[in-house]
mmCIF file of all heavy atoms in Angstrom:
data_model
loop_
_atom_site.group_PDB
_atom_site.id
_atom_site.type_symbol
_atom_site.label_atom_id
_atom_site.label_comp_id
_atom_site.label_asym_id
_atom_site.label_seq_id
_atom_site.Cartn_x
_atom_site.Cartn_y
_atom_site.Cartn_z
ATOM 1 N N LYS A 117 2.436 -9.510 -6.257
ATOM 2 C CA LYS A 117 3.765 -8.917 -5.984
ATOM 3 C C LYS A 117 3.684 -7.503 -5.437
ATOM 4 O O LYS A 117 4.303 -6.555 -5.775
ATOM 5 C CB LYS A 117 4.569 -8.906 -7.327
ATOM 6 C CG LYS A 117 4.791 -10.101 -7.998
ATOM 7 C CD LYS A 117 5.622 -11.086 -7.219
ATOM 8 C CE LYS A 117 5.921 -12.361 -7.974
ATOM 9 N NZ LYS A 117 5.997 -13.585 -7.288
ATOM 10 N N TYR A 118 2.745 -7.255 -4.423
ATOM 11 C CA TYR A 118 2.546 -6.120 -3.797
ATOM 12 C C TYR A 118 2.520 -6.299 -2.269
ATOM 13 O O TYR A 118 2.161 -7.415 -1.831
ATOM 14 C CB TYR A 118 1.183 -5.417 -4.170
ATOM 15 C CG TYR A 118 1.324 -4.688 -5.409
ATOM 16 C CD1 TYR A 118 1.190 -5.324 -6.718
ATOM 17 C CD2 TYR A 118 1.570 -3.324 -5.527
ATOM 18 C CE1 TYR A 118 1.285 -4.692 -7.884
ATOM 19 C CE2 TYR A 118 1.798 -2.615 -6.820
ATOM 20 C CZ TYR A 118 1.590 -3.382 -7.988
ATOM 21 O OH TYR A 118 1.672 -2.770 -9.160
ATOM 22 N N SER A 119 2.938 -5.293 -1.379
ATOM 23 C CA SER A 119 2.726 -5.301 -0.043
ATOM 24 C C SER A 119 1.955 -4.070 0.272
ATOM 25 O O SER A 119 2.013 -3.106 -0.379
ATOM 26 C CB SER A 119 4.061 -5.230 0.675
ATOM 27 O OG SER A 119 4.811 -6.395 0.595
ATOM 28 N N VAL A 120 1.256 -4.180 1.433
ATOM 29 C CA VAL A 120 0.540 -3.016 1.877
ATOM 30 C C VAL A 120 0.671 -2.890 3.379
ATOM 31 O O VAL A 120 0.773 -3.874 4.151
ATOM 32 C CB VAL A 120 -1.018 -3.130 1.503
ATOM 33 C CG1 VAL A 120 -1.675 -4.196 2.351
ATOM 34 C CG2 VAL A 120 -1.794 -1.793 1.850
ATOM 35 N N ASN A 121 0.856 -1.606 3.800
ATOM 36 C CA ASN A 121 0.967 -1.111 5.166
ATOM 37 C C ASN A 121 -0.109 -0.297 5.434
ATOM 38 O O ASN A 121 -0.175 0.848 4.757
ATOM 39 C CB ASN A 121 2.435 -0.688 5.474
ATOM 40 C CG ASN A 121 2.653 -0.404 6.922
ATOM 41 O OD1 ASN A 121 1.806 -0.005 7.565
ATOM 42 N ND2 ASN A 121 3.845 -0.524 7.271
ATOM 43 N N ILE A 122 -1.059 -0.547 6.432
ATOM 44 C CA ILE A 122 -2.358 0.202 6.595
ATOM 45 C C ILE A 122 -2.127 0.606 8.117
ATOM 46 O O ILE A 122 -2.232 -0.295 9.009
ATOM 47 C CB ILE A 122 -3.500 -0.592 6.366
ATOM 48 C CG1 ILE A 122 -3.423 -1.113 4.884
ATOM 49 C CG2 ILE A 122 -4.785 0.248 6.555
ATOM 50 C CD1 ILE A 122 -4.590 -2.046 4.498
ATOM 51 N N HIS A 123 -2.332 1.850 8.364
ATOM 52 C CA HIS A 123 -2.248 2.418 9.705
ATOM 53 C C HIS A 123 -3.604 3.099 10.065
ATOM 54 O O HIS A 123 -4.181 3.790 9.126
ATOM 55 C CB HIS A 123 -1.259 3.421 9.949
ATOM 56 C CG HIS A 123 0.105 2.887 10.063
ATOM 57 N ND1 HIS A 123 0.737 2.709 11.307
ATOM 58 C CD2 HIS A 123 0.979 2.506 9.235
ATOM 59 C CE1 HIS A 123 1.969 2.261 11.201
ATOM 60 N NE2 HIS A 123 2.158 2.086 9.918
ATOM 61 N N LEU A 124 -4.041 2.933 11.194
ATOM 62 C CA LEU A 124 -5.215 3.779 11.763
ATOM 63 C C LEU A 124 -4.638 4.825 12.735
ATOM 64 O O LEU A 124 -4.085 4.422 13.803
ATOM 65 C CB LEU A 124 -6.215 2.896 12.483
ATOM 66 C CG LEU A 124 -7.422 3.634 13.132
ATOM 67 C CD1 LEU A 124 -8.110 4.481 12.172
ATOM 68 C CD2 LEU A 124 -8.197 2.664 13.898
ATOM 69 N N TYR A 125 -4.708 6.000 12.337
ATOM 70 C CA TYR A 125 -4.179 7.151 13.088
ATOM 71 C C TYR A 125 -5.444 7.743 13.841
ATOM 72 O O TYR A 125 -6.225 8.397 13.155
ATOM 73 C CB TYR A 125 -3.469 8.244 12.326
ATOM 74 C CG TYR A 125 -2.200 7.651 11.694
ATOM 75 C CD1 TYR A 125 -2.048 7.479 10.408
ATOM 76 C CD2 TYR A 125 -1.189 7.286 12.499
ATOM 77 C CE1 TYR A 125 -0.870 6.971 9.762
ATOM 78 C CE2 TYR A 125 0.157 6.905 11.983
ATOM 79 C CZ TYR A 125 0.239 6.636 10.682
ATOM 80 O OH TYR A 125 1.354 6.158 10.211
ATOM 81 N N ASP A 126 -5.530 7.566 15.174
ATOM 82 C CA ASP A 126 -6.647 8.032 15.928
ATOM 83 C C ASP A 126 -6.198 9.369 16.609
ATOM 84 O O ASP A 126 -5.436 9.360 17.477
ATOM 85 C CB ASP A 126 -6.924 7.033 17.016
ATOM 86 C CG ASP A 126 -8.165 7.375 17.840
ATOM 87 O OD1 ASP A 126 -8.612 8.552 17.780
ATOM 88 O OD2 ASP A 126 -8.610 6.563 18.684
ATOM 89 N N GLU A 127 -6.822 10.454 16.068
ATOM 90 C CA GLU A 127 -6.432 11.746 16.612
ATOM 91 C C GLU A 127 -7.490 12.256 17.417
ATOM 92 O O GLU A 127 -7.455 13.434 17.911
ATOM 93 C CB GLU A 127 -6.265 12.748 15.408
ATOM 94 C CG GLU A 127 -5.124 12.324 14.478
ATOM 95 C CD GLU A 127 -3.715 12.423 15.176
ATOM 96 O OE1 GLU A 127 -3.518 13.137 16.061
ATOM 97 O OE2 GLU A 127 -2.837 11.619 14.642
ATOM 98 N N THR A 128 -8.509 11.501 17.834
ATOM 99 C CA THR A 128 -9.525 11.955 18.770
ATOM 100 C C THR A 128 -8.887 12.297 20.167
ATOM 101 O O THR A 128 -8.004 11.534 20.579
ATOM 102 C CB THR A 128 -10.587 10.908 18.945
ATOM 103 O OG1 THR A 128 -10.173 9.669 19.331
ATOM 104 C CG2 THR A 128 -11.445 10.642 17.736
ATOM 105 N N GLY A 129 -9.342 13.332 20.698
ATOM 106 C CA GLY A 129 -8.801 13.729 22.037
ATOM 107 C C GLY A 129 -7.482 14.458 22.003
ATOM 108 O O GLY A 129 -7.071 15.083 22.901
#
Side-chain angles (χ1 to χ4, degrees):
K117 306 292 187 214
Y118 282 83
S119 289
V120 67
N121 187 322
I122 304 171
H123 281 266
L124 172 60
Y125 293 112
D126 183 353
E127 297 296 334
T128 56

